[in-house]
Amino acid sequence: MSEPAPSFEKIAFVAASTPEAEAARERLVSRYGKASDDEADVIVALGGDGMMLQTLHAFRGQGVPIYGMHRGSVGFLMNTYREDHLPDRLAAAVQVQIHPLMMEAVDQDGVRHRAPAFNEVALFRQTYQAGKLRVSIDDKVRLDELICDGVIVATPAGSTAYNLSAHGPILPLGTPLLALTPISPFRPRRWRGALVPDKGRIDIAVLEAGKRPVSAVADHYEVRNVVSVSAQLDVASSSAMLFDPDHGLEERILREQFVY
């Protein structure tokens, strides 16, 4: 016997701080009502991918699914915006569970910073000099010295974001891999990155940190002047995203690989 379709009677709407998104929220609230965040069966996020990331972080671990509709500049993670038949669309939507990376960064003062990232953990040079990094996976050094502008550790959900712009691979959802992608590598010049099992821990040590300062970013959270960064999938934490059956994230990921 198949399970009954979920019921999303109580809908909470959140919107990016743009006139377009705010106007859409007002129209939808007048049509479908407005539940509080605490009592909502589903969160409808209006905006672009940045708004979706903010919403994923805001409701991480709370068990409420998030359905995005595109009212922003970039909408890879968003469904097409339509105001009609929203409860029916929500009931028919496909649910995808995603886990964030957990970044732990240590700065030059020895302070430890922890932050989750649904898209990527990235390191960037802070000055005109390239960063010099050592890359280890599960305590085994894989690159003694990587000289580059930075490096990205991307999840499958984030593989089509900055990772793709840096010529990293696209990872379909459900793939048990992370993308490790350099940004403008100088040495080794021919190294273009690696695919890492998502059960592994990636450790990046910043060499010559005083001379070549590096910052670390987990989605929107930045730490300056880091000396080491680790990234590992947080399997104990997850968020649910809802996609229209004919416009799911897996279909978008496949489509992106055949665009020239």
Side-chain angles (χ1 to χ4, degrees):
M1 177 182 290
S2 60
E3 296 183 1
S7 175
F8 297 117
E9 297 179 358
K10 299 177 182 178
I11 306 172
F13 295 95
V14 296
S17 57
T18 64
E20 184 181 24
E22 289 285 359
R25 183 180 64 83
E26 291 180 7
R27 292 193 300 270
L28 290 166
V29 167
S30 67
R31 188 165 184 173
Y32 297 105
K34 179 185 178 182
S36 67
D37 295 348
D38 294 336
E39 66 179 3
D41 299 318
V42 62
I43 306 294
V44 173
L46 304 164
D49 285 351
M51 183 61 195
M52 174 57 81
L53 278 179
Q54 291 178 29
T55 309
L56 286 170
H57 281 281
F59 293 93
R60 179 171 67 99
Q62 296 187 23
V64 56
I66 300 166
Y67 180 85
M69 285 202 288
H70 185 208
R71 290 285 87 183
S73 58
V74 180
F76 185 84
L77 299 176
M78 313 300 275
N79 298 288
T80 302
Y81 180 79
R82 294 198 307 271
E83 296 180 12
D84 294 335
H85 309 297
L86 180 57
D88 293 337
R89 290 179 70 188
L90 293 172
V94 177
Q95 183 166 300
V96 178
Q97 292 284 340
I98 59 173
H99 299 282
L101 290 167
M102 182 57 67
M103 178 187 80
E104 183 170 296
V106 180
D107 64 26
Q108 293 182 19
D109 295 325
V111 179
R112 292 183 177 271
H113 307 260
R114 285 173 56 85
F118 285 98
N119 262 10
E120 75 270 323
V121 170
L123 283 73
F124 303 99
R125 66 172 184 168
Q126 291 179 196
T127 67
Y128 64 92
Q129 286 193 302
K132 185 181 288 188
L133 311 173
R134 181 173 62 239
V135 179
S136 302
I137 299 172
D138 291 332
D139 296 321
K140 183 173 183 178
V141 175
R142 296 294 181 175
L143 277 178
D144 287 305
E145 186 177 281
L146 171 62
I147 300 176
C148 57
D149 282 354
V151 68
I152 301 166
V153 182
T155 67
S159 66
T160 54
Y162 189 19
N163 173 74
L164 180 60
S165 298
H167 307 291
I170 295 176
L171 304 178
L173 287 182
T175 304
L177 297 169
L178 303 172
L180 181 61
T181 302
I183 304 169
S184 300
F186 178 67
R187 286 199 183 95
R189 194 178 298 274
R190 296 184 181 277
W191 190 66
R192 291 295 178 262
L195 296 175
V196 179
D198 66 2
K199 293 184 175 67
R201 189 186 75 248
I202 299 172
D203 294 302
I204 301 172
V206 180
L207 309 179
E208 302 178 15
K211 179 182 178 183
R212 303 169 182 267
V214 169
S215 64
V217 179
D219 285 352
H220 303 115
Y221 181 83
E222 181 179 16
V223 182
R224 306 282 285 181
N225 301 309
V226 298
V227 295
S228 67
V229 175
S230 68
Q232 189 169 21
L233 206 65
D234 183 6
V235 296
S237 177
S238 67
S239 289
M241 301 173 68
L242 297 173
F243 293 97
D244 293 332
D246 59 345
H247 207 46
L249 187 56
E250 291 187 349
E251 170 61 26
R252 297 186 191 195
I253 288 174
L254 286 170
R255 190 186 311 151
E256 282 289 328
Q257 297 177 84
F258 295 92
V259 174
Y260 294 93

